[in-house]
Amino acid sequence: MKHLFSLMLLLGLAAAGCQQSPSPDNRQSDAPPKIECSQNNDDVGRVLANLVTARRNIHSYDSLCRKHWDGIPPVQSYTIRAVDLLAAMGMPTNLADSAMCRFKHIRVYLGFQDKVGFKLYIVPVANACLQGKNPAKWDAGRDVILNKNANPIIVPLDSTAIAEDDKYVLDLNAPCPKTCPTAPTLKADR
């Protein structure tokens, strides 16, 4: 009787232990849980950078490039078409010519800030035209600076109507490694 009780106790513990380990068909995923990432209430103002600071960081990046890539002029900026952005976001590209899309291009500038690292600044672009395959015939348009509410400033950039510290650009500073994508990525691992 004593042996039977010990055997039953041992089987009971083994059964309880087996119930806690997942079966091969019920394994939990190693993927992180989904996080709510709605942008409905996200404020674009949180990524505004003062134009003076942005210009300082852009010049810092230019100096860094000139120092390390002797003789090679640094990339100053990239002009990107709205149609390309819409396609990348999976949206209908015909929205680029709709009234919903006030600006048809944006421009991004690279910057560098000590103790922070590389920066990416973005501004809307007015009156650009990048049609055709010959870049010599393209019109780069002009940068549109934003106010403290992230609305475009319509007056000329050098106008005295807007104080120098009331001019902003968007600071989209979320570089990898802090925000590295999950595999597979555009950058192939070596």
Side-chain angles (χ1 to χ4, degrees):
M1 188 69 133
K2 200 180 208 184
H3 293 291
L4 185 57
F5 177 74
S6 298
L7 183 60
M8 293 294 281
L9 182 60
L10 184 61
L11 287 174
L13 289 174
C18 287
Q19 289 176 350
Q20 291 178 352
S21 63
S23 67
D25 296 334
N26 282 343
R27 287 189 187 137
Q28 291 187 358
S29 171
D30 289 337
K34 291 281 186 187
I35 297 171
E36 170 58 33
C37 195
S38 173
Q39 296 183 30
N40 288 337
N41 296 323
D42 200 358
D43 181 18
V44 72
R46 72 179 175 82
V47 295
L48 287 176
N50 184 278
L51 182 60
V52 173
T53 301
R55 282 182 170 160
R56 182 176 53 243
N57 292 337
I58 292 166
H59 290 296
S60 186
Y61 170 79
D62 288 347
S63 297
L64 187 69
C65 288
R66 290 180 198 286
K67 178 180 175 183
H68 291 286
W69 293 302
D70 189 32
I72 300 172
V75 171
Q76 294 181 19
S77 63
Y78 294 90
T79 303
I80 303 169
R81 304 176 310 161
V83 69
D84 300 327
L85 293 173
L86 291 167
M89 292 187 295
M91 297 178 67
T93 57
N94 63 343
L95 291 177
D97 286 326
S98 73
M100 292 176 60
C101 195
R102 181 173 180 182
F103 298 100
K104 309 303 181 202
H105 298 82
I106 62 162
R107 193 159 3 258
V108 294
Y109 289 90
L110 300 170
F112 183 80
Q113 183 177 353
D114 286 334
K115 299 180 183 169
V116 173
F118 291 95
K119 308 286 276 178
L120 182 69
Y121 298 107
I122 184 172
V123 293
V125 175
N127 304 319
C129 184
L130 307 181
Q131 288 188 336
K133 293 189 178 201
N134 184 356
K137 294 182 179 181
W138 293 350
D139 183 351
R142 66 175 175 78
D143 292 349
V144 176
I145 303 305
L146 306 172
N147 66 17
K148 64 183 175 186
N149 298 318
N151 293 316
I153 297 174
I154 304 304
V155 297
L157 191 56
D158 58 356
S159 170
T160 57
I162 303 291
E164 193 64 29
D165 59 349
D166 286 337
K167 298 176 184 175
Y168 297 89
V169 298
L170 296 168
D171 177 2
L172 302 183
N173 192 34
C176 181
K178 292 179 183 174
T179 58
C180 288
T182 56
T185 67
L186 182 63
K187 179 185 169 186
D189 293 327
R190 294 179 188 201

